[in-house]
Amino acid sequence: MAKSYKIAVIPGDGTGPEVVREGVKVLEAASGKFGFKLEKQEFDFGGERYKRTGETLPDSAIDEMRAFDAIYLGAIGHPDVKPGILEKGILLKLRFGLDQYINLRPVKLYPGVETPLRNKGPEDIDYVVVRENTGGLYTGTGGISMKGTPHEVAVQSMVYNRFQVDRCLRYAFEYTKKRNRKKTLALCGKTNVLTFAYDLWERAFNEMGEKEYPDITREYYHVDATCMWMVKNPEWFDVIVTGNMFGDIITDLGAITQGGMGIAAGGNLNPEGVSMFEPIGGSAPKYTGKNVINPLAAIAAGQMMLESLGEEDAAEAVEDAMVKALQKDIKSLSAGKMGMGTSDVGDLLVKYILED
Ligand code: IPM
Ligand code: MN
């Protein structure tokens, strides 16, 4: 009997539904070709539902998600909803609730894609950021007191425990080993200022590396220097591991060097549980419903999902189709400048997958 995977699909807000539609189209083509099934169930979490019902993500949804093999997410964010409500109430709630402690973000420049980095090409820009995804400033303690007075105090603290740091580092070391390229893992921190949080990271990094991964070369960069080298010498990097906040920031920088939000994808991974895959750009409300948004980031997220489900041939076929389309057909990654519509991109990739 054909293998079958249960996929929760959350199209979300803005252009999310449009890009997810193309992603699903491409996933269906790959599953048909490689002989497995995708049983999809759609969920309407997002800004519209929140406006209608006042509900972001019911607690029961977290439990419901546990029954799936993976989650495929479009975008969360609505222009009429105050920033923070949907992000915290849906996206982060899913990440934390399902303990998706790794945010895996490949920074890979495909042939035919323009990068703002002068004199750099696909051979120079090909590394992966392993971002810790459930701790740090995102879940640290904090609060505001004496709000609105001249003595107002705001606290938001970067909290990490050894367990969180160790499991993230272990994933990063294993990933570097499996990737088998330069076998170099770089820790991105700030040990010259954050002498508590990143001291813990650095000690744990060195202890684990020395004892358990002697074949992996260890490097260390402060976060500010990391940004500089990601621009000047991206070819230095193989795998970068870092905390939640720094990971958030450097992966936007990484994304723009690989062609921008039209192509950058990420996986929120719980290696022992349910993982969620998403394009890392936002909901791009101004392009909603216009058939101009680039669905490649969502398609790349789908490709990562296939890989994580163990359907590696299908994942490779999707990637090959993307590369072909980028080299031959897609003029630019920017919305409205692709030389074709959103749905044409999906159709084209389906064609390439099936004819190959
Ligand atoms: C990302 C996003 C999110 C984050 C926001 C939307 C909460 O920027 O996935 O990088 O900060 O993690
Ligand atoms: Mn971000």
Side-chain angles (χ1 to χ4, degrees):
M1 211 179 76
K3 234 179 165 172
S4 185
Y5 302 99
K6 289 178 74 181
I7 309 295
V9 180
I10 308 176
D13 300 318
T15 51
E18 286 165 75
V19 297
V20 158
R21 194 176 309 131
E22 299 315 304
V24 166
K25 202 191 259 179
V26 170
L27 289 169
E28 289 289 356
S31 76
K33 176 159 179 172
F34 290 91
F36 58 91
K37 277 202 161 130
L38 299 171
E39 267 177 80
K40 300 176 302 300
Q41 190 177 332
E42 212 169 291
F43 294 87
D44 67 349
F45 306 125
E48 289 303 329
R49 178 188 166 121
Y50 173 72
K51 277 177 50 191
R52 214 173 51 237
T53 65
E55 186 174 65
T56 48
L57 187 78
D59 290 334
S60 59
I62 301 280
D63 276 333
E64 220 176 322
M65 292 295 148
R66 290 188 216 279
F68 289 86
D69 294 300
I71 304 168
Y72 189 45
L73 174 77
I76 299 290
H78 197 290
D80 304 340
V81 181
K82 193 174 157 231
I85 293 178
L86 301 172
E87 291 87 341
K88 283 188 158 178
I90 301 176
L91 182 63
L92 297 179
K93 189 167 172 181
L94 282 166
R95 288 180 184 173
F96 304 153
L98 294 168
D99 204 17
Q100 293 164 338
Y101 60 89
I102 298 295
N103 196 323
L104 192 69
R105 297 192 163 179
V107 180
K108 183 169 181 174
L109 179 68
Y110 285 111
V113 175
E114 214 179 307
T115 173
L117 301 188
R118 192 158 49 98
N119 301 331
K120 299 291 178 192
E123 62 288 356
D124 304 303
I125 304 174
D126 186 358
Y127 56 94
V128 177
V129 177
V130 176
R131 164 186 174 189
E132 199 289 325
N133 208 32
T134 52
L137 279 168
Y138 278 67
T139 49
T141 51
I144 291 185
S145 62
M146 294 177 283
K147 194 167 182 172
T149 77
H151 299 281
E152 179 167 349
V153 176
V155 178
Q156 196 121 37
S157 53
M158 183 183 279
V159 177
Y160 267 117
N161 64 37
R162 181 75 191 233
F163 170 80
Q164 289 173 312
V165 172
D166 273 343
R167 70 179 180 173
C168 176
L169 289 171
R170 182 164 310 284
Y171 182 89
F173 275 114
E174 288 293 333
Y175 188 88
T176 311
K177 191 159 113 182
K178 186 163 154 237
R179 182 170 149 92
N180 201 19
R181 299 273 183 91
K182 293 195 190 83
K183 291 204 175 173
T184 300
L185 178 61
L187 172 64
C188 162
K190 189 72 186 174
T191 54
N192 54 346
V193 175
L194 306 178
T195 50
F196 307 127
Y198 276 97
D199 179 73
L200 169 58
W201 274 87
E202 195 180 35
R203 272 183 292 116
F205 178 63
N206 287 325
E207 279 171 31
M208 188 178 290
E210 208 172 288
K211 267 198 220 119
E212 298 177 55
Y213 301 94
D215 298 338
I216 309 278
T217 306
R218 270 172 282 135
E219 289 179 345
Y220 173 81
Y221 301 92
H222 294 320
V223 61
D224 43 356
T226 308
C227 292
M228 191 168 71
W229 299 124
M230 281 169 67
V231 171
K232 176 122 195 322
N233 295 110
E235 67 280 3
W236 285 359
F237 296 114
D238 180 13
V239 181
I240 300 175
V241 62
T242 189
N244 209 346
M245 187 76 257
F246 292 167
D248 176 49
I249 297 166
I250 70 169
T251 53
D252 263 29
L253 174 58
I256 205 71
T257 68
Q258 68 178 123
M261 293 303 176
I263 188 102
N268 301 278
L269 312 182
N270 178 340
E272 297 86 34
V274 184
S275 300
M276 175 168 73
F277 299 84
E278 53 172 340
I280 77 176
S283 56
K286 70 175 177 187
Y287 297 120
T288 304
K290 299 207 164 89
N291 198 38
V292 295
I293 195 80
N294 183 347
L296 282 175
I299 293 168
Q303 181 240 331
M304 291 182 76
M305 181 168 82
L306 292 177
E307 219 169 74
S308 115
L309 291 170
E311 295 295 340
E312 273 153 25
D313 292 341
E316 204 177 304
V318 172
E319 189 172 28
D320 290 348
M322 282 176 52
V323 169
K324 211 162 172 182
L326 284 165
Q327 278 181 305
K328 289 174 49 178
D329 314 285
I330 298 172
K331 292 203 174 66
S332 153
L333 297 184
S334 308
K337 297 188 180 144
M338 297 187 289
M340 61 180 82
T342 306
S343 55
D344 301 319
V345 178
D347 292 343
L348 183 67
L349 263 69
V350 167
K351 182 177 134 222
Y352 284 152
I353 288 168
L354 297 182
E355 78 185 11
D356 218 37

